[in-house]
């Protein structure tokens, strides 16, 4: 960026820069973000009658396009410039415009602290850079999130560079495999990597003389004589393929061969999925609004992983030895569980053979708090003891250690980190949604928000778990590093301040191969295309149609004067971020939308007195006010009730029968399960441009991604779509089919589970052959835990212990 900065500073455009800064200063704002900066520059160009090219193509125009923040002080103006994804530069311009110099990240953090009058010299600095300095690192930002592919190439290069050493390490990794005392793959008869390479040839000769379909049991003793234990395959053909992959890997290593071989290695049998703060129950008892999708996700995750593990065990020929997969969802036991089964210590997951919900109670503190459900913002004081207690229970249930720990959400990830450290087990993190980027300036003003949200504990927990994790999976690329115009969720942890607590100078390496894209799937037995008439229940269809369009109920607001208009359908919990009120406002402001469409909203609540917190009550009331202000009672149906998943699937299909659309209007959505559910049902879906939906609706972004802050443009996009459908009746059908196939092919649980288990095996192998700086890193994480996290959590506990006293 140096050349561009110099072009502005030393050229004719310096005057324009000075005038722009003067205009910004005159506005009274001292901290401006990208959208405000772009708007201010557009206004400046218009008022100064600049030529059309000036906004985009001038040097200052290009500089402004790259600028994400401007901070104005008396003596200087600071520019935070993002010249490319995952890269940030800080430049300071003095007030008299006599110098423009590049500054450090530390200097930027000091400026932000001064901005809120909370500057503290000598503040603690957190810098994780040294722990990634000597690690393999992705070079191209476009490949961020493709860590597995990178590791495959890296390891194959190592095999080529120093084949003897790496073959020996590969041998040692395979030789150590066992399950419940049963040796797998290799016995002591094979003492070294060199000997393994020779024995593979003999084993291949033996199995290739057999019929391809001959069961492993028929020739197992012959293979054992050569030093090969069970686990290579269930038939002669499968054993031959696996041995051939290993043989090719030793002599001509290629990434595809390595991945195919590692995928077949029987190394994962016991998996723990950690999901703590939700009401993890079944029979549609799936938690509060803030945890609803989380519980659905983890139940489907458990079923899918058990299916995949069972299939892998069978193909490896290990089912004949009585080996079975064992999946545990680890959550908290809630004594006052409001009529649910969340008081049961152990509950089998429906539609599985050996997947269980294991519930561990929180320690004995104040039972007035710990006997009840606890919000994700308040849960932090109980997690350390929970991890200690959970370890004992897991060892009892498994009768041994698990092979993989998967954390879900910030609290689950912290517990996964604690358990991984104690048990020496591979750890995977899934954030789903990080709170810091969702709440604007939440780190900068953390002290003002602390009583309500306790962000100091949460953001510290995030830092600890994301760096301690062996690998991280995300649903989308933007979750890691955003887009050219927006900062990614993980990227927001790269450099930030918690004034008067600590500075994060370098919080995470975004180029680390630990990041991998593994999007979740959809339960296709519940959510399937409306066109599959043979799979639909006609009685349920009639019932749901009446519910959506005509049934009277105390929990339904609105009566449609013209029910045959195209329906706009939106399913969401009620919060300022989910923004149902914004969608209603968009509908209310557009007479043309009201002429052509009805609006149908499905949330869990209808009245403010049903809210569980003040923000929710405020949003519910806001929605009522909008409906009243725009007189929408005859054009809207608002269903404030929970309906079972089977009914929700049919609701999407009923709206599709009417050739309607789905709109997901969140201010930010890290991914969006409801987007997938609507799309696979065959419902053309408009989704927020802020978040992962950009990747879900790939190649159709211009038409179907909407800006929830631009109500006029959103209404225009929807009307343009319906106009196309009216002009070309086949258009709705074409979009419907494309969206349904997009989700079916890209977002399915089989792909997810297969990839997750492959990552677990690869990173376990990687940690064995090249453990890097993990011990030093983990000790640093322990220091952060005891120095910062625990004192912050103890402050929450003090408040809880004083409750009701």
């Amino acid at each position: 960026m140096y050349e561009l900065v110099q072009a502005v500073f030393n050229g004719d455009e310096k005057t324009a820069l000075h005038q722009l800064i003067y205009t910004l200063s005159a506005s009274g704002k001292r901290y401006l973000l990208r959208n405000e900066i772009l708007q201010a520059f557009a206004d400046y160009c218009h008022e100064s009658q600049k030529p059309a090219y000036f906004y985009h193509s001038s040097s200052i125009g290009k500089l402004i396009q790259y600028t994400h923040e401007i901070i104005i002080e008396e003596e200087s103006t600071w520019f935070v410039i993002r010249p490319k994804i995952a890269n940030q530069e800080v430049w300071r311009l003095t007030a008299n415009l006599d110098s423009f110099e590049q500054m450090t990240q530390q200097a930027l953090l000091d400026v932000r602290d001064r901005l809120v009058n909370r500057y503290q010299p000598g503040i603690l600095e957190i810098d994780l850079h040294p722990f990634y300095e000597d690690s393999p690192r992705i070079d191209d930002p476009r490949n961020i999130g493709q860590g597995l592919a990178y590791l495959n190439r890296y390891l194959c290069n190592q095999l080529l560079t120093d084949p003897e050493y790496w073959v020996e390490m590969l041998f040692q990794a395979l030789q150590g495999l066992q399950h419940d005392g049963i040796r797998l793959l290799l016995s002591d008869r094979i003492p070294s990597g060199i000997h393994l390479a020779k024995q593979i040839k003999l084993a291949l000769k033996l199995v290739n003389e057999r019929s391809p379909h001959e069961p492993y049991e028929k020739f197992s003793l012959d293979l054992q004589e050569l030093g090969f234990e069970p686990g290579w395959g269930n038939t002669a053909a499968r054993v031959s393929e696996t041995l051939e992959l290993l043989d090719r890997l030793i002599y001509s290593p290629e990434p595809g061969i390595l991945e195919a071989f590692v995928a077949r290695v029987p190394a994962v049998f016991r998996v723990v999925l950690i999901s703590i703060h939700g009401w993890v129950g079944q029979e549609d008892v799936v938690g509060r609004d803030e945890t609803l999708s989380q519980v659905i996700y983890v139940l489907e995750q458990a079923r899918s992983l058990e299916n995949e593990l069972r299939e892998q065990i069978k193909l490896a020929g290990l089912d004949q030895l009585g080996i079975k997969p064992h999946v545990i969802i680890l959550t908290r036991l809630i004594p006052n569980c409001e009529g649910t089964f969340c008081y049961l210590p152990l509950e089998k997951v429906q539609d599985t053979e050996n997947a269980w919900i294991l519930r561990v109670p929180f320690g004995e503190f104040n039972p007035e708090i710990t006997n009840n459900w606890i919000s994700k913002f308040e849960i932090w004081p109980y997690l350390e003891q929970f991890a200690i207690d959970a370890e004992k229970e897991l060892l009892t249930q498994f009768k041994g250690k698990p092979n993989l720990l998967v954390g879900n959400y910030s609290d689950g990830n912290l517990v996964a980190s604690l358990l991984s450290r104690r048990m020496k087990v591979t750890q995977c993190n899934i954030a789903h949604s990080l709170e810091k980027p969702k709440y604007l300036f939440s780190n900068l003003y953390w002290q003002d928000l602390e009583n309500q949200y306790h962000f100091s504990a949460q953001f510290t927990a995030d830092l600890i778990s994301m760096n301690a994790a062996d690998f991280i999976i995300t649903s989308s690329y933007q979750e890691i590093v955003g887009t050219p115009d927006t900062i990614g969720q993980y990227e927001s942890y790269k450099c930030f301040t918690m004034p008067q607590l600590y500075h994060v100078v370098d919080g995470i390496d975004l180029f680390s191969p630990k990041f991998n894209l593994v999007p979740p799937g959809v339960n296709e037995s519940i959510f399937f295309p409306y066109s599959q008439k043979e799979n639909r229940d006609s009685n349920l269809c009639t019932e749901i149609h009446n519910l959506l369009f005509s049934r009277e109920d105390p929990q339904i607001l609105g009566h449609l004067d013209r029910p045959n208009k195209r329906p706009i359908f939106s399913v969401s919990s009620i919060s300022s971020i989910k923004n149902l009120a914004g969608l209603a406002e968009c509908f209310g402001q557009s007479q043309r939308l009201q002429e052509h469409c009805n609006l149908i909203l499905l949330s869990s609540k209808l009245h403010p007195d049903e809210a569980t917190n003040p923000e929710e009550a405020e949003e519910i009331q806001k929605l009522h006010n909008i409906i009243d202000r725009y007189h929408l009672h005859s054009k809207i149906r608002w269903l404030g009730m929970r309906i079972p998943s089977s009914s929700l699937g049919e609701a999407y299909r009923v709206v599709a029968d009417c050739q309607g659309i789905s709109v997901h209007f969140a201010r930010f959505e890290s991914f969006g399960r409801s987007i997938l559910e609507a799309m696979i049902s065959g419902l053309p879906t408009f989704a927020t441009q802020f978040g992962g939906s950009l990747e879900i609706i790939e190649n159709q972004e211009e038409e179907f991604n909407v800006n929830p802050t631009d109500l006029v443009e959103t209404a225009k996009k929807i009307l343009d779509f319906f106009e196309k459908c009216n002009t070309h009746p086949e258009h709705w059908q074409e979009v419907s089919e494309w969206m349904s196939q997009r989700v079916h092919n890209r977002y399915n649980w089989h792909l997810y589970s297969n990839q997750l288990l492959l990552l677990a095996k690869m990173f376990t192998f990687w940690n064995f052959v090249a453990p890097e700086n993990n011990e030093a890193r983990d000790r640093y994480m322990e220091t952060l835990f005891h120095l910062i996290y625990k004192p912050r959590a103890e402050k929450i506990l003090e408040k809880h212990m004083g409750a009701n006293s």
Side-chain angles (χ1 to χ4, degrees):
M1 292 301 295
Y2 177 79
E3 292 80 7
L4 183 58
V5 169
Q6 289 302 313
V8 175
F9 197 67
N10 296 328
D12 296 336
E13 295 172 14
K14 185 175 181 179
T15 302
L17 179 62
H18 185 268
Q19 291 171 343
L20 175 63
I21 292 171
Y22 178 81
T23 303
L24 294 174
S25 300
S27 72
K29 296 196 72 172
R30 297 174 61 203
Y31 201 146
L32 295 103
L33 299 180
R34 177 176 167 76
N35 284 344
E36 297 169 303
I37 296 164
L38 290 174
Q39 186 59 55
F41 184 59
D43 293 342
Y44 165 77
C45 291
H46 175 73
E47 290 165 11
S48 302
Q49 298 183 331
K50 297 293 184 185
Y53 79 89
F54 195 82
Y55 179 80
H56 288 289
S57 304
S58 64
S59 294
I60 187 175
K62 291 175 183 175
L63 179 66
I64 293 299
Q65 297 298 323
Y66 289 126
T67 301
H68 279 250
E69 298 175 24
I70 290 178
I71 301 174
I72 299 172
E73 294 192 296
E74 281 188 23
E75 300 301 322
S76 53
T77 303
W78 298 70
F79 287 73
V80 180
I81 296 169
R82 194 165 173 257
K84 55 187 176 182
I85 280 175
N87 183 276
Q88 177 178 287
E89 296 178 7
V90 183
W91 291 81
R92 183 175 71 94
L93 174 64
T94 54
N96 56 8
L97 269 66
D98 62 0
S99 71
F100 207 169
E101 59 181 333
Q102 190 166 359
M103 306 296 289
T104 64
Q105 300 294 333
Q106 288 94 328
L108 172 64
L109 298 177
D110 285 342
V111 169
R112 288 173 174 161
D113 287 355
R114 290 199 296 268
L115 184 72
V116 293
N117 298 317
R118 284 170 179 162
Y119 171 70
Q120 178 179 310
I123 193 170
L124 173 68
E125 287 189 353
I126 297 173
D127 186 357
L128 279 300
H129 176 71
F131 302 107
Y132 295 98
E133 205 166 17
D134 300 322
S135 303
R137 197 167 186 269
I138 291 168
D139 296 322
D140 189 339
R142 290 172 296 183
N143 294 330
I144 288 173
Q146 305 297 328
L148 178 64
Y150 176 84
L151 268 190
N152 286 339
R153 291 193 302 272
Y154 182 87
L155 288 170
C156 287
N157 287 337
Q158 298 301 309
L159 275 163
L160 287 167
T161 305
D162 191 354
E164 275 191 38
Y165 170 78
W166 283 91
V167 168
E168 185 61 26
M169 294 305 291
L170 180 59
F171 158 72
Q172 289 183 24
L174 296 177
Q175 190 191 45
L177 290 175
Q178 62 87 32
H179 180 69
D180 286 348
I182 301 170
R183 286 289 291 268
L184 304 176
L185 296 188
L186 301 178
S187 72
D188 291 337
R189 295 187 181 202
I190 300 178
S192 68
I194 293 172
H195 194 248
L196 171 62
K198 293 175 182 175
Q199 292 299 93
I200 290 171
K201 303 291 187 187
L202 298 176
L204 278 169
K205 184 174 184 299
L206 186 153
V207 294
N208 287 338
E209 290 171 353
R210 307 275 173 164
S211 165
H213 301 293
E214 185 172 340
Y216 166 76
E217 296 75 43
K218 295 280 185 72
F219 54 89
S220 61
L221 293 177
D222 295 328
L223 273 180
Q224 284 177 310
E225 285 291 319
L226 295 173
F228 294 94
E229 296 292 344
W232 296 95
N234 59 341
T235 64
R238 182 80 178 179
V239 172
S240 176
E241 288 170 8
T242 309
L243 288 168
E244 181 68 34
L245 284 169
L246 181 55
D247 187 56
R248 290 175 63 192
L249 182 59
I250 290 171
Y251 291 103
S252 55
E254 296 174 11
I257 295 169
L258 175 62
E259 183 169 315
F261 175 71
V262 170
R264 292 186 177 211
V265 172
V268 180
F269 305 95
R270 299 172 177 142
V271 179
V272 183
L273 308 174
I274 306 169
S275 180
I276 300 170
H277 67 265
W279 295 72
V280 180
Q282 301 180 88
E283 301 289 353
D284 295 307
V285 182
V286 288
R288 301 283 177 96
D289 281 351
E290 77 172 47
T291 61
L292 178 63
S293 61
Q294 168 189 165
V295 177
I296 295 170
Y297 176 99
V298 79
L299 287 168
E300 291 182 4
Q301 187 185 36
R303 293 187 187 101
S304 176
L305 279 169
E306 195 220 26
N307 285 336
E308 191 65 31
L309 283 168
R310 192 185 310 114
E311 181 65 16
Q312 290 189 8
I313 289 168
K314 179 183 175 183
L315 289 173
L318 297 177
D319 57 329
Q320 298 299 316
L321 300 178
I323 293 176
K324 297 178 180 178
H326 194 170
V327 177
I328 286 178
I329 298 171
L330 174 63
T331 189
R332 63 166 298 224
L333 185 147
I334 308 174
N336 297 338
C337 58
E338 301 179 15
T340 73
F341 290 116
C342 292
Y343 67 93
L344 291 177
L346 198 64
E347 181 185 2
K348 190 175 183 183
V349 176
Q350 294 165 4
D351 303 321
T352 68
E353 292 180 17
N354 200 23
W356 301 82
I357 302 171
L358 173 65
R359 300 186 180 94
V360 176
F362 280 166
E364 290 299 320
F365 295 100
N366 180 356
E368 294 290 328
I369 301 291
T370 55
N371 283 354
N372 299 293
W373 175 80
I374 298 175
S375 161
K376 63 184 176 183
F377 297 117
E378 301 280 338
I379 204 167
W380 306 107
Y382 310 104
L383 298 183
E384 183 180 20
Q385 186 61 47
F386 177 85
I388 294 168
D389 296 339
E391 180 185 12
K392 298 171 191 170
E393 295 295 330
L394 289 170
L395 291 172
T396 300
Q397 293 299 321
F398 284 135
K399 298 182 175 62
K401 291 200 304 184
N403 308 113
L404 174 64
L405 298 162
V406 182
N408 288 276
Y409 290 86
S410 295
D411 49 347
N413 285 327
L414 183 67
V415 169
S417 299
L418 296 172
L419 285 171
S420 175
R421 179 74 170 145
R422 293 173 64 89
M423 302 174 84
K424 307 299 180 190
V425 173
T426 300
Q427 172 196 352
C428 165
N429 272 24
I430 311 176
H432 298 284
S433 178
L434 291 160
E435 299 296 326
K436 190 166 85 65
K438 283 168 64 175
Y439 292 85
L440 192 63
F441 298 132
S442 53
N443 60 292
L444 200 58
Y445 294 99
W446 71 270
Q447 286 143 304
D448 301 330
L449 303 167
E450 191 70 355
N451 283 339
Q452 183 176 357
Y453 295 110
H454 306 295
F455 285 141
S456 64
Q458 179 159 359
F459 298 168
T460 307
D462 288 334
L463 276 175
I464 292 168
S465 59
M466 68 176 64
N467 283 286
D470 294 294
F471 66 100
I472 297 168
I473 67 174
T474 70
S475 300
S476 63
Y477 175 86
Q478 70 78 33
E479 194 176 329
I480 311 170
V481 287
T483 68
D485 299 327
T486 60
I487 303 291
Q489 290 190 62
Y490 280 96
E491 189 179 0
S492 75
Y493 283 78
K494 179 75 174 168
C495 176
F496 69 95
T497 175
M498 301 285 283
Q500 298 178 335
L501 184 62
Y502 57 71
H503 281 175
V504 176
V505 177
D506 196 333
I508 185 72
D509 184 1
L510 303 168
F511 291 84
S512 168
K514 72 165 60 181
F515 284 106
N516 284 270
L517 303 185
V518 187
V522 180
N523 186 338
E524 294 189 43
S525 64
I526 294 174
F527 301 98
F528 56 84
Y530 78 102
S531 55
Q532 292 180 9
K533 304 290 186 187
E534 67 280 6
N535 296 329
R536 295 176 66 178
D537 181 333
S538 58
N539 292 329
L540 180 62
C541 179
T542 302
E543 178 189 330
I544 297 300
H545 189 279
N546 291 338
L547 177 71
L548 294 181
F549 292 97
S550 59
R551 194 175 100 190
E552 293 189 6
D553 189 284
Q555 289 303 115
I556 299 176
L557 177 71
H559 175 82
L560 302 180
D561 281 354
R562 293 166 55 197
N564 293 329
K565 290 189 291 187
R566 290 187 190 265
I568 298 172
F569 189 42
S570 188
V571 180
S572 176
S573 57
I574 294 185
S575 71
S576 59
I577 288 179
K578 294 300 184 182
N579 198 32
L580 277 183
L583 179 58
E585 181 97 35
C586 175
F587 184 73
Q589 286 183 8
S590 173
Q591 286 300 319
R592 287 189 62 213
L593 266 186
Q594 295 172 45
E595 288 167 15
H596 292 87
C597 314
N598 290 312
L599 179 61
I600 303 176
L601 307 177
L602 176 59
S603 67
S604 61
K605 292 159 188 166
L606 184 65
H607 305 292
D609 59 9
E610 297 165 357
T612 54
N613 59 67
E615 182 198 352
E616 189 178 46
E618 185 180 333
E619 280 298 306
I620 294 172
Q621 188 58 54
K622 186 176 177 182
L623 198 42
H624 278 284
N625 294 344
I626 289 168
I627 292 169
D628 291 340
R629 185 188 321 140
Y630 293 105
H631 310 292
L632 299 178
H633 291 82
S634 62
K635 301 164 186 174
I636 193 171
R637 293 270 290 174
W638 177 7
L639 288 69
M641 60 179 67
R642 275 252 179 102
I643 65 174
S645 295
S646 56
S647 297
L648 178 58
E650 189 59 31
Y652 285 121
R653 290 188 287 272
V654 165
V655 175
D657 289 335
C658 303
Q659 296 214 328
I661 61 169
S662 172
V663 178
H664 191 88
F665 210 52
R667 296 180 190 279
F668 176 84
E669 183 60 72
S670 61
F671 188 64
R673 285 179 54 85
S674 61
I675 298 172
L676 297 183
E677 292 165 357
M679 286 174 66
I680 201 166
S681 303
L683 200 51
T685 300
F686 291 76
T688 177
Q689 70 183 41
F690 301 123
S693 62
L694 283 171
E695 289 164 55
I696 299 175
I697 311 179
E698 193 176 53
N699 302 322
Q700 300 276 351
E701 302 95 327
E702 287 302 314
E703 188 171 357
F704 293 101
N705 277 116
V706 292
N707 181 347
T709 66
D710 191 339
L711 306 187
V712 174
E713 181 60 26
T714 296
K716 182 178 183 302
K717 279 193 175 185
I718 293 172
L719 287 163
D720 286 349
F721 172 72
F722 283 141
E723 183 63 34
K724 277 188 188 178
C725 295
N726 293 335
T727 309
H728 305 285
E730 69 280 2
H731 183 65
W732 187 96
Q733 185 63 47
E734 288 168 358
V735 172
S736 167
E737 178 66 20
W738 179 88
M739 291 204 167
S740 183
Q741 285 301 310
R742 167 73 178 161
V743 175
H744 176 74
N745 295 331
R746 177 74 178 88
Y747 301 98
N748 67 74
W749 282 112
H750 169 68
L751 284 175
Y752 172 96
S753 296
N754 190 285
Q755 193 72 0
L756 175 58
L757 293 174
L758 175 58
L759 285 164
K761 295 173 186 179
M762 180 59 76
F763 278 91
T764 301
F765 174 60
W766 171 250
N767 285 338
F768 179 82
V769 300
E772 299 184 59
N773 202 4
N774 289 351
E775 185 59 31
R777 176 203 68 187
D778 290 345
R779 288 195 180 280
Y780 193 92
M781 294 304 110
E782 279 187 359
T783 302
L784 293 182
F785 181 84
H786 290 285
L787 182 67
I788 303 172
Y789 173 82
K790 279 191 73 171
R792 303 311 307 175
E794 284 165 3
K795 284 187 178 294
I796 306 170
L797 185 60
E798 286 173 15
K799 188 173 106 177
H800 288 186
M801 293 300 284
N804 305 111
S805 61

